[in-house]
Every structure is written in C-alpha cells, then in structure tokens.
Amino acid sequence: MVKIGVLGLQGAIREHARSVEAAGAEGIIIKYKEQLADIDGLIIPGGESTTMRRLIDKYDFLDALVDFGKQGKPIFGTCAGLILLANNIVGQDEAHLSLMDMKVERNAFGRQRESFEVEIDLKGVANNFEAVFIRAPYVVEVGPEVEVLATYQDKIVAAKQGHYLCSAFHPELTDDHRLTEYFVKMVEK
C-alpha cells in the first residue's frame, strides 16, 4: 500500500489523513523530517504560509522537503501548501520551497469572511468538484511546464507540474476525495 505523508506542522492535518485513507492509501502524519524517508508522497496542507514557513525553519524541514521533491517524490500543496511550492510570491522577495514554476498571490480571494464554496471542473480529475476556498491564494501565472487543471473567475486555482500538484482550495474539507485519489494515483506511478 502506498504511504502518503501529511506534513503535520499546521492546518487540516487529520482531514487530509482521512482523505488519503478514503482514497485507498496509508496516511501518515509527518512531525519529523526523518519520517520523509518512509513515505512515497507528501501533502502540504493549508494553514498560514508565513507561520508554516517559521515552523519549517524551526524544525529544520526546509532542505529535507526540497530534497524530497527533487528526488522525484510527488508533493501536493493545498492553499498555503500551494504558496510554499511556488517559486514566486507577489509582494515577497523570496519564495519558500520553489519547486513549482508559478507566481502566486496570497489571500487573493479576500479575508476569512469572504471564504466560499463553489463547484469547479478539474481537468482530468473531476467535474462538478466542490471546492472550499478559505483566505485562498491563486496562481497569477505559470511557466511552460505547468499544466493548469482548474480556474475560477479566470484565475488559476489548480495546477500540476510533473510530480507536483497544487490547489488553492481545500479538498480535504469535503467528502469528495477525487482530487486526493488523483494524487494517490500520481504517487503509485
């Protein structure tokens, strides 16, 4: 059985682990960088990207996460995880993991009170997918190797680059596990 880790520093950690289990894989909460050696793929959950980066630095995860991705192991970033994967963040001098060739805008759909749910079509994944946006970012532009999987109001909200997957929304907060299943299939390949 494929082992999918969920970075356990902040965010909807348990919800992601449940979604992984529902998608037919083993979900493992990752609290220590040494655990990365025992998993086949990794989900970086939503949360607050600046806080997550502080925790990544505090627990010495940065190089280990970059190395994990550069080894060809799949990574799926949701919401703040999308921001962490990007190589360019509007209004910031430095990116975090810089694993995906894309420019992102933080809190692009508004503050907490502007959070919303909407059905979107995810290319090659699912039609009528219920997407939950909470202080969500979006992708401003992508490089030539990045495939856009979904847009909302002409803004990119899901994308894939090789073994990296990202969404601006929270798929783990619904009972629709099709996007997590898609990631599990990426890991199985």
Side-chain angles (χ1 to χ4, degrees):
M1 180 183 284
V2 172
K3 294 180 180 179
I4 309 287
V6 179
L7 188 61
L9 300 178
Q10 187 199 32
I13 299 160
R14 284 188 206 94
E15 291 84 352
H16 271 295
R18 276 189 228 120
S19 187
V20 166
E21 301 279 340
E26 182 180 350
I28 299 169
I29 296 172
I30 304 298
K31 293 278 194 181
Y32 305 99
K33 66 181 180 180
E34 294 79 13
Q35 291 176 278
L36 294 171
D38 300 328
I39 59 172
D40 305 301
L42 178 69
I43 295 174
I44 302 175
E48 205 288 315
S49 61
T50 305
T51 300
M52 288 180 76
R53 174 57 190 266
R54 284 188 192 120
L55 293 169
I56 285 169
D57 290 344
K58 179 178 181 176
Y59 296 106
D60 196 31
F61 263 101
L62 186 66
D63 290 338
L65 291 171
V66 171
D67 290 345
F68 184 88
K70 290 190 175 180
Q71 290 171 19
K73 292 189 176 185
I75 299 176
F76 178 18
T78 65
C79 197
L82 171 150
I83 295 166
L84 292 171
L85 287 174
N87 67 354
N88 190 323
I89 303 164
V90 173
Q92 288 187 209
D93 294 332
E94 292 184 24
H96 302 288
L97 302 176
S98 295
L99 293 171
M100 286 186 77
D101 187 12
M102 61 186 183
K103 178 190 241 180
V104 300
E105 174 89 36
R106 298 174 70 232
N107 299 325
F109 288 105
R111 300 304 232 170
Q112 190 80 22
R113 68 181 173 272
E114 283 95 27
S115 299
F116 62 96
E117 295 179 27
V118 65
E119 285 190 355
I120 61 171
D121 291 334
L122 283 161
K123 179 181 171 187
V125 180
N127 291 326
N128 303 316
F129 187 88
E130 184 181 356
V132 179
F133 290 84
I134 302 171
R135 292 181 57 208
Y138 68 77
V139 179
V140 176
E141 59 188 45
V142 297
E145 302 296 315
V146 179
E147 178 184 7
V148 174
L149 299 180
T151 60
Y152 175 69
Q153 295 181 339
D154 297 321
K155 294 172 175 64
I156 301 167
V157 296
K160 179 183 176 196
Q161 180 180 350
H163 57 283
Y164 303 121
L165 179 67
C166 67
S167 68
F169 50 90
H170 292 267
E172 76 282 4
L173 297 181
T174 73
D175 291 327
D176 187 341
H177 303 291
R178 292 178 289 174
L179 187 54
T180 304
E181 288 167 359
Y182 180 83
F183 180 64
V184 168
K185 287 178 186 158
M186 284 176 58
V187 174
E188 289 172 343
K189 290 180 184 173

